[in-house]
Amino acid sequence: MKTVTRSISLNSDLGEGFGAYAIADDETLLGLVSDANVACGFHGGDPRIMRRTCEIAAARGLGVGAHFGFDDIRGFGRRHLEVPRDELRDDIVYQIGGLQAVAKAAGAQVRYVKAHGALYHSALKYPDYAAAMLDAIVECAPDLPMLCQPGTTLARDAEARGMPLLREGFIDRTYQDDGLLTPRSQPGALVTDPELAGSRALRMALEGTVETVSGKVIPMEVDSLCIHSDSPGAVEMARSARAALEGGGVAVTSMV
Amino acid sequence: MKTVTRSISLNSDLGEGFGAYAIADDETLLGLVSDANVACGFHGGDPRIMRRTCEIAAARGLGVGAHFGFDDIRGFGRRHLEVPRDELRDDIVYQIGGLQAVAKAAGAQVRYVKAHGALYHSALKYPDYAAAMLDAIVECAPDLPMLCQPGTTLARDAEARGMPLLREGFIDRTYQDDGLLTPRSQPGALVTDPELAGSRALRMALEGTVETVSGKVIPMEVDSLCIHSDSPGAVEMARSARAALEGGGVAVTSMV
Amino acid sequence: MKTVTRSISLNSDLGEGFGAYAIADDETLLGLVSDANVACGFHGGDPRIMRRTCEIAAARGLGVGAHFGFDDIRGFGRRHLEVPRDELRDDIVYQIGGLQAVAKAAGAQVRYVKAHGALYHSALKYPDYAAAMLDAIVECAPDLPMLCQPGTTLARDAEARGMPLLREGFIDRTYQDDGLLTPRSQPGALVTDPELAGSRALRMALEGTVETVSGKVIPMEVDSLCIHSDSPGAVEMARSARAALEGGGVAVTSMV
Amino acid sequence: MKTVTRSISLNSDLGEGFGAYAIADDETLLGLVSDANVACGFHGGDPRIMRRTCEIAAARGLGVGAHFGFDDIRGFGRRHLEVPRDELRDDIVYQIGGLQAVAKAAGAQVRYVKAHGALYHSALKYPDYAAAMLDAIVECAPDLPMLCQPGTTLARDAEARGMPLLREGFIDRTYQDDGLLTPRSQPGALVTDPELAGSRALRMALEGTVETVSGKVIPMEVDSLCIHSDSPGAVEMARSARAALEGGGVAVTSMV
């Protein structure tokens, strides 16, 4: 049993529009989360959008993370890209550095990093991709913790290098008994009921547990709860989670 | 008359390839110049190319500058782009920040900034573009000097803000009596004879003067001599300039 | 006074998303218009989106037009781009040809062409841009009419070449006494009230007139009424226009 | 033994530059080959470059093929891209259609198609990619033969659909005993000696055979001989092949 939690972070991927395109209701979500994973321009985001997102985050006292991805606007960073290890590393360094400068100009500061979409999944599957990612972080932002699902090979690789980690739980996804997420390709992978999302959020925060698809209750101690900004009902789930947490005596505060 | 000069910088725009594409003989030029203006990914360059360019620059003790441009790979940053002031400012901040991180990972450090192609020309024509550029530099790299042609409105704007400047002369372009370059659209705008390029380089370095297209000799005291890397004969002119300078007792050393 | 009109076309710019990004409620609008101006991949749209848009248009018997623009996804084709005349011409030829092939594969056929955003405006301002556009159309699709606002220089240039034209009116924009649109930068440029949009649509269809911002009634005989798909309230205005037209005895049918 | 050949085609991938970037000596190669595989803008090429390449091809009576690839300028179409089958199909249709229109405007006509780089290799490995490619060709250009290496799964898939094929041999690559190319990752994969390239070209043309890396002579009857335009020494090998063929009484003529 977890010790009593008085606060937890809510994070969401934000600033993922591009030029005239938007993909989520950033404005509303920036009023609900405590930490904004800001896209760095390669899978979504452009410097103007990054800046505005960081300015709002700074004005509201939210944490800002560098949310880097594959160089693939058309695919929104959601498809695996074949990239040599050194090229991937350099792409990530560039993205983090670009956002750091923009955030600073916006009066904010990048406090953590988080991989996006297919890059995250490829890092779980291919050691070279994980190594490229961790190399990049160590090279350009060694003090920044990586927000990451606990129990994954990526988390273990980072721990083995002594890198700081922040543990992430998902309130809009279901878990398997092994503590990993139910793949999106399987039925029941998504949580879409805001009320359920809220009660799951509170349980992870208060008890450090989650109920899996088989009905088993497993430990899931996390530092932050993620809501995917582009799922249908993202705003409703964020609202419900925030209400459930605050109603249950858990403050929603930045993890950094 | 200038005081005796014992050293001057030679700079060139480098790392301007993209993926499999090259546009200049970077490898040879990196052996001839003292300072590399490294493209930041928007008009040319990608993070892998930036990294390799910075690594070579670091290994050879060359100065590294952030050479930012319009977001226009297809146009190579050579055509005016209609960009709102705040968007242009943020694009420049992002580019400088991205290169700073990549340079650091390569064991180098960005020591100065320089605008590329159409962005430079647009900043001379449109006050909003100049303001966006200077705002960006002040926001993210206030200590870095801007390499710039003396006597231009951009140089004066920067001086008026108290920003540090480095003065640049061109050995492959001719000058008009007003100290500005002969527009490329006019005949006689280019210097293509390596020997002439060399003697002009030495004269600017030793005497701080240049002979204009009308035959007049005008003052042109500069900190660095630029060779456009993608002009035909760039390597030959760089070689000739270096030989002429060293033969004339002027060491070629980084300006930063 | 116009002869009694029994039918008119409603057109809208559709298929302007990119990858995961959407910018308008295409699905609903494809149920309201009679003609779809399908983006060709340069300012918006990608081949998958083009295909789906053409498939729906074919299934519903809508007309399909090639809606080409500047090569500028980030700017959504809304900013002037400096392009040499021959490059612009070739870009337009490529876009029309690409959509023609995709439309054919989708069981549709491109029946007209229409310039998008800044390209349209630049063609009104710069003779070279108009010439590039008309050259492109003549080269690759000489039989396709160009949908265009009557009374503009572009319409006159096309007429002077003997090119077929379709005249377009705007139900979500106000007109000046000279028959041109009130620039967006001026107050009162937009019509946002659906009911007003509907009555204006019916008047243009039935009477061939429009009331200008000064209150004057001027002739405005058109073949098609345009609704900007990405204006706020686009769906409501399209619905209101369709209802007003049909209620007034005017069928909404494709112009081609 | 092959019947006496009096003519054969020489093909090369051309027009693969992008904006200001070039990647091969197109001008010289267009004077040596009989057929130009023209890049369609997704892995290289832009409409202006396509147009110029087609104009030269038309002026010299060369055959023009649509050389389509993955949507990946930065990777030059050389890395596998994860694309759903229908998206890949639509991308190929768009590329072929775009080039067809540009070629027509240039006074040329697309006469065959050929897959580029990683797309070609992925079509050999993944049935979905091959199917997407063949679907695209059937949909938009059913009469155009596909230039392809004989004996591959892709060639067999196309034959099974009754699609017209043109068989391609490589003079700058070595063959294995199974008639497939030695992978580039293995030593001895490349032929770099122009004289050897020439004698291999003549042998394939006259005898319809090739000597494999093991020294075995195997049948290799082809309609066209390919020279990779971006290999070092491409021009020399093309020149040598052309001289060897013509010296051996084999005319170099377009295959279409």
Side-chain angles (χ1 to χ4, degrees):
Chain A
M1 182 62 65
K2 202 184 175 190
T3 57
V4 177
T5 303
R6 297 274 171 250
S7 73
I8 199 159
S9 146
L10 267 185
N11 79 77
S12 199
D13 303 345
L14 297 166
E16 290 185 318
F18 186 69
Y21 295 115
I23 203 160
D25 182 356
D26 282 23
E27 205 157 313
T28 306
L29 286 165
L30 282 163
L32 294 168
V33 301
S34 62
D35 294 275
N37 317 319
V38 181
C40 296
F42 271 43
H43 76 273
D46 61 47
R48 184 77 203 100
I49 291 176
M50 286 178 217
R51 171 75 167 255
R52 282 200 308 255
T53 310
C54 288
E55 284 172 348
I56 300 176
R60 298 190 180 167
L62 309 181
V64 167
H67 189 48
F68 51 77
F70 281 130
D71 186 11
D72 183 19
I73 292 286
R74 185 171 166 197
F76 197 59
R78 282 201 185 128
R79 48 188 190 180
H80 175 71
L81 210 69
E82 200 183 304
V83 201
R85 178 170 163 173
D86 51 6
E87 186 172 327
L88 178 57
R89 178 201 61 200
D90 298 342
D91 275 16
I92 296 171
V93 168
Y94 179 80
Q95 291 179 70
I96 295 175
L99 181 66
Q100 283 177 319
V102 170
K104 188 183 145 197
Q109 198 178 340
V110 176
R111 301 277 194 183
Y112 64 96
V113 299
K114 179 184 172 181
H116 172 79
L119 174 51
Y120 174 71
H121 293 290
S122 297
L124 296 182
K125 279 171 75 177
Y126 308 111
D128 256 24
Y129 282 68
M133 189 190 298
L134 300 181
D135 286 347
I137 298 167
V138 166
E139 279 183 356
C140 77
D143 300 331
L144 295 189
M146 179 172 69
L147 180 59
C148 180
Q149 201 190 346
T152 58
T153 53
L154 184 64
R156 282 195 291 272
D157 288 352
E159 275 161 0
R161 290 180 182 224
M163 295 170 63
L165 282 185
L166 290 166
R167 296 159 306 167
E168 177 172 41
F170 295 88
I171 68 170
D172 51 7
R173 295 289 300 277
T174 62
Y175 285 83
Q176 303 175 131
D177 288 359
D178 60 3
L180 299 182
L181 297 177
T182 313
R184 278 177 193 269
S185 53
Q186 291 183 24
L190 304 182
V191 175
T192 52
D193 174 33
E195 207 171 328
L196 181 58
S199 63
R200 290 169 69 89
L202 185 59
R203 184 172 198 164
M204 274 194 258
L206 276 187
E207 300 178 13
T209 62
V210 75
E211 189 180 321
T212 71
V213 280
S214 76
K216 209 174 148 183
V217 173
I218 61 168
M220 190 53 61
E221 293 200 26
V222 296
D223 303 297
S224 187
L225 300 168
C226 179
I227 297 143
H228 290 96
S229 61
D230 61 331
S231 356
V235 165
E236 288 67 32
M237 285 197 281
R239 232 179 232 129
S240 170
R242 181 147 196 147
L245 289 166
E246 295 180 341
V250 179
V252 174
T253 56
S254 171
M255 64 190 136
V256 286
Chain B
M1 182 65 62
K2 203 184 175 190
T3 57
V4 177
T5 301
R6 296 275 169 250
S7 73
I8 200 160
S9 147
L10 266 186
N11 79 75
S12 199
D13 302 345
L14 297 166
E16 290 186 318
F18 187 69
Y21 294 114
I23 204 160
D25 183 356
D26 282 21
E27 207 158 312
T28 305
L29 286 166
L30 282 163
L32 294 168
V33 301
S34 62
D35 294 277
N37 317 319
V38 181
C40 296
F42 272 42
H43 75 274
D46 62 48
R48 184 79 203 97
I49 291 175
M50 286 178 217
R51 171 74 167 255
R52 282 200 310 254
T53 310
C54 288
E55 283 172 347
I56 300 176
R60 298 192 178 163
L62 309 181
V64 167
H67 189 48
F68 51 78
F70 280 130
D71 186 11
D72 182 19
I73 291 288
R74 185 171 166 196
F76 197 60
R78 280 200 186 130
R79 48 188 189 180
H80 174 72
L81 210 67
E82 198 183 304
V83 202
R85 177 170 164 174
D86 51 7
E87 185 172 327
L88 178 57
R89 177 201 61 199
D90 298 343
D91 275 16
I92 296 172
V93 169
Y94 179 80
Q95 291 180 70
I96 296 175
L99 181 66
Q100 283 177 319
V102 170
K104 187 183 146 196
Q109 200 179 337
V110 176
R111 301 278 194 183
Y112 63 95
V113 300
K114 177 182 173 182
H116 171 79
L119 174 51
Y120 174 70
H121 293 290
S122 297
L124 297 182
K125 278 171 74 177
Y126 307 112
D128 255 23
Y129 283 68
M133 187 189 299
L134 300 180
D135 285 348
I137 298 168
V138 165
E139 279 183 356
C140 78
D143 300 331
L144 296 189
M146 180 172 70
L147 180 58
C148 180
Q149 201 190 345
T152 58
T153 52
L154 184 63
R156 281 195 291 272
D157 288 353
E159 275 161 2
R161 289 179 182 228
M163 295 170 65
L165 282 186
L166 290 166
R167 297 159 303 166
E168 178 171 40
F170 295 88
I171 67 170
D172 50 8
R173 295 290 300 278
T174 61
Y175 284 82
Q176 304 176 130
D177 288 358
D178 60 2
L180 299 182
L181 297 177
T182 314
R184 277 178 193 271
S185 53
Q186 291 182 23
L190 304 182
V191 175
T192 54
D193 174 33
E195 208 169 327
L196 181 58
S199 63
R200 290 168 70 87
L202 186 59
R203 183 173 198 162
M204 273 193 260
L206 277 187
E207 300 178 12
T209 62
V210 74
E211 189 181 322
T212 69
V213 281
S214 76
K216 206 174 150 184
V217 173
I218 60 167
M220 191 53 60
E221 292 200 28
V222 296
D223 303 296
S224 187
L225 300 168
C226 180
I227 297 143
H228 290 96
S229 62
D230 61 331
S231 355
V235 165
E236 288 66 33
M237 284 196 283
R239 232 180 232 129
S240 170
R242 181 149 195 143
L245 290 167
E246 294 180 341
V250 179
V252 174
T253 55
S254 171
M255 65 190 133
V256 287
Chain C
M1 181 64 64
K2 202 183 176 192
T3 58
V4 176
T5 302
R6 296 277 170 248
S7 73
I8 200 158
S9 147
L10 266 186
N11 79 76
S12 198
D13 303 345
L14 296 166
E16 291 186 319
F18 186 69
Y21 294 113
I23 203 160
D25 183 355
D26 282 21
E27 206 157 312
T28 305
L29 286 166
L30 282 163
L32 294 169
V33 301
S34 62
D35 294 276
N37 317 320
V38 181
C40 295
F42 271 43
H43 75 273
D46 62 48
R48 185 78 202 98
I49 291 175
M50 286 178 217
R51 172 74 166 256
R52 282 200 310 256
T53 309
C54 288
E55 283 172 347
I56 300 175
R60 299 193 179 164
L62 309 182
V64 167
H67 189 47
F68 50 78
F70 281 130
D71 186 11
D72 183 18
I73 292 287
R74 185 171 166 197
F76 197 59
R78 281 200 186 129
R79 47 187 191 181
H80 174 70
L81 210 68
E82 198 183 305
V83 202
R85 177 171 164 174
D86 50 7
E87 185 171 328
L88 178 57
R89 177 201 62 199
D90 299 343
D91 275 17
I92 296 171
V93 169
Y94 180 81
Q95 290 180 71
I96 295 175
L99 181 67
Q100 282 177 320
V102 170
K104 188 183 146 196
Q109 200 179 336
V110 176
R111 301 278 194 183
Y112 63 94
V113 299
K114 178 183 173 182
H116 172 79
L119 174 52
Y120 174 70
H121 293 290
S122 297
L124 296 182
K125 278 171 76 177
Y126 307 113
D128 255 24
Y129 283 68
M133 188 189 298
L134 300 181
D135 286 346
I137 298 167
V138 166
E139 278 183 357
C140 78
D143 300 332
L144 296 189
M146 179 171 69
L147 181 58
C148 180
Q149 200 190 346
T152 58
T153 53
L154 184 63
R156 281 196 291 271
D157 288 351
E159 275 161 1
R161 289 179 182 226
M163 296 170 65
L165 283 186
L166 291 166
R167 298 158 303 167
E168 178 173 39
F170 296 88
I171 67 170
D172 50 7
R173 295 289 301 277
T174 62
Y175 285 82
Q176 304 175 131
D177 287 357
D178 60 2
L180 299 182
L181 298 177
T182 312
R184 279 177 192 270
S185 52
Q186 292 182 22
L190 304 182
V191 174
T192 53
D193 173 33
E195 208 170 327
L196 180 59
S199 63
R200 289 169 70 88
L202 186 59
R203 183 174 199 162
M204 273 194 260
L206 277 186
E207 299 179 12
T209 60
V210 74
E211 189 181 322
T212 69
V213 279
S214 76
K216 205 174 151 185
V217 173
I218 61 167
M220 190 53 60
E221 293 200 28
V222 296
D223 303 296
S224 187
L225 300 167
C226 180
I227 298 143
H228 291 96
S229 61
D230 61 331
S231 356
V235 165
E236 288 67 33
M237 283 196 283
R239 231 180 234 130
S240 170
R242 182 149 196 146
L245 289 166
E246 294 179 341
V250 180
V252 174
T253 55
S254 171
M255 65 190 134
V256 286
Chain D
M1 182 63 65
K2 201 184 176 191
T3 57
V4 176
T5 302
R6 297 274 170 253
S7 73
I8 199 160
S9 146
L10 267 185
N11 80 76
S12 199
D13 302 346
L14 296 166
E16 290 185 319
F18 186 70
Y21 294 115
I23 203 160
D25 182 356
D26 281 22
E27 205 157 313
T28 305
L29 286 166
L30 282 163
L32 295 169
V33 301
S34 62
D35 294 277
N37 317 320
V38 181
C40 296
F42 271 43
H43 75 273
D46 62 48
R48 185 76 202 101
I49 291 176
M50 286 179 216
R51 171 75 167 256
R52 282 199 309 255
T53 310
C54 288
E55 283 172 347
I56 300 176
R60 298 191 179 166
L62 309 182
V64 167
H67 189 49
F68 51 76
F70 281 130
D71 186 11
D72 183 19
I73 292 287
R74 184 170 166 197
F76 197 59
R78 281 201 184 128
R79 48 188 190 180
H80 175 71
L81 210 69
E82 200 183 305
V83 201
R85 178 170 164 174
D86 51 7
E87 185 172 327
L88 178 57
R89 179 200 61 199
D90 299 342
D91 275 16
I92 296 172
V93 168
Y94 179 81
Q95 290 180 71
I96 296 176
L99 181 66
Q100 283 177 319
V102 170
K104 188 182 145 197
Q109 198 178 340
V110 176
R111 299 280 193 181
Y112 63 95
V113 299
K114 179 184 172 181
H116 171 79
L119 174 52
Y120 174 71
H121 293 290
S122 297
L124 297 181
K125 279 170 75 177
Y126 308 111
D128 255 25
Y129 282 68
M133 188 190 299
L134 300 180
D135 286 348
I137 298 167
V138 165
E139 280 183 357
C140 77
D143 299 331
L144 295 189
M146 179 172 69
L147 180 58
C148 180
Q149 201 190 346
T152 57
T153 52
L154 184 64
R156 282 196 291 271
D157 288 353
E159 275 161 0
R161 290 180 181 225
M163 295 170 64
L165 282 185
L166 290 166
R167 298 158 305 167
E168 177 172 40
F170 295 87
I171 68 169
D172 51 7
R173 295 290 300 276
T174 62
Y175 285 83
Q176 303 176 130
D177 288 358
D178 61 3
L180 299 181
L181 297 177
T182 312
R184 277 178 194 269
S185 53
Q186 291 183 23
L190 304 182
V191 175
T192 53
D193 175 32
E195 207 170 327
L196 180 58
S199 63
R200 289 169 69 88
L202 186 59
R203 184 172 198 164
M204 273 194 259
L206 276 186
E207 300 178 13
T209 62
V210 75
E211 190 181 320
T212 70
V213 280
S214 77
K216 208 174 148 183
V217 173
I218 62 167
M220 191 52 62
E221 293 200 26
V222 295
D223 303 297
S224 187
L225 300 167
C226 180
I227 297 143
H228 290 96
S229 61
D230 61 331
S231 357
V235 165
E236 289 67 32
M237 284 196 283
R239 231 179 233 132
S240 170
R242 182 148 196 146
L245 289 166
E246 293 180 341
V250 179
V252 174
T253 55
S254 170
M255 66 190 134
V256 286

